[in-house]
Amino acid sequence: MVKLTGLKKIKTAVFISGTGSNLKNLIKFSKIKNSPMSIDLIFSNTSKAKGLRFSNQFNIKKYISSFKDPKITEAKILNLLNREAIKFICLAGFMKILSKNFIKKFNGKIINIHPSLLPKYKGLDTHKKAIQNKDEVAGCTVHYVTAKLDSGKVILQKEVKISKKDNPTSLAKKVLRQEHKLYPAAIKKIFN
Ligand code: GRF
């Protein structure tokens, strides 16, 4: 894993596709004096991602490119990451699947947050599945990204109790509150 050298913060890119509440939370975390990371680039595969507004708000470079031709898009992203000396990538609600080749180039330096207790419920609709299966707990996981979807080594997990009144929306809200604590904690665990 990447180790911090001296007092320099590790230059990080965050990849998003939507609201960006995890992105906002990671930006706040990055501003703390003892945070191991700085966020220097936001990438989105769509200009519609609400989270892109944090680029202006916090004066962080952004790059948008659709994944219509994934090979070309990934080559462009890799170029940019190189140019900006980015050493670490956090996926935060990023809805595209990165290629094996891309992941290999950033081997062990891409992490993701997923709204379930992996290996349970990989992919989409995690909260709906947990409720349908009458699970008593749901949760979230921060894990390394490998070529196999939602299957890399777990860094940290947090359980969230499911109440009888919960529906997928209320559960998603509860889990998201925990995600905002878990993601910074996982990053601290990696670098400190
Ligand atoms: C989060 O629940 C995250 O775990 C999942 O997508 C959602 C993104 O939320 N991968 P936000 O865009 O960070 O608000």
Side-chain angles (χ1 to χ4, degrees), residues 4-115:
L4 279 179
T5 47
L7 294 170
K8 268 199 174 165
K9 291 189 175 194
I10 185 138
K11 292 187 96 181
T12 302
V14 181
F15 288 18
I16 62 166
S17 301
T19 315
S21 71
N22 276 291
L23 164 65
K24 186 181 180 195
N25 188 59
L26 287 179
I27 295 172
K28 273 199 205 157
F29 169 65
S30 73
K31 308 266 181 209
I32 295 169
K33 197 173 152 224
N34 290 329
S35 165
M37 77 198 305
S38 62
I39 294 176
D40 300 275
L41 183 73
I42 300 167
F43 172 72
S44 173
N45 61 295
T46 166
S47 58
K48 291 196 181 116
K50 283 194 191 149
L52 283 169
R53 69 184 186 275
F54 300 122
S55 152
N56 290 339
Q57 200 174 315
F58 293 95
N59 201 17
I60 300 170
K61 273 192 189 143
K62 70 175 171 210
Y63 179 57
I64 306 158
S65 178
S66 84
F67 262 63
K68 266 189 194 138
D69 186 333
K71 254 193 172 172
I72 293 179
T73 301
E74 286 191 347
K76 281 186 188 162
I77 300 172
L78 281 169
N79 249 328
L80 185 60
L81 295 175
N82 219 354
R83 216 178 325 136
E84 299 294 328
I86 301 288
K87 302 286 182 232
F88 195 64
I89 299 172
C90 294
L91 308 184
F94 183 60
M95 301 305 285
K96 293 288 173 186
I97 295 174
L98 295 166
S99 73
K100 253 188 202 163
N101 174 54
F102 187 98
I103 293 166
K104 219 163 98 191
K105 295 239 162 74
F106 265 78
N107 195 14
K109 296 172 194 161
I110 310 177
I111 63 172
N112 180 41
I113 187 149
H114 183 77

Side-chain angles (χ1 to χ4, degrees), residues 172-191:
K173 268 191 195 158
K174 282 205 277 194
V175 172
L176 198 58
R177 273 200 294 275
Q178 294 309 317
E179 290 185 35
H180 295 161
K181 292 183 190 161
L182 195 73
Y183 218 162
I187 292 166
K188 274 193 200 159
K189 188 178 170 191
I190 294 172
F191 292 111

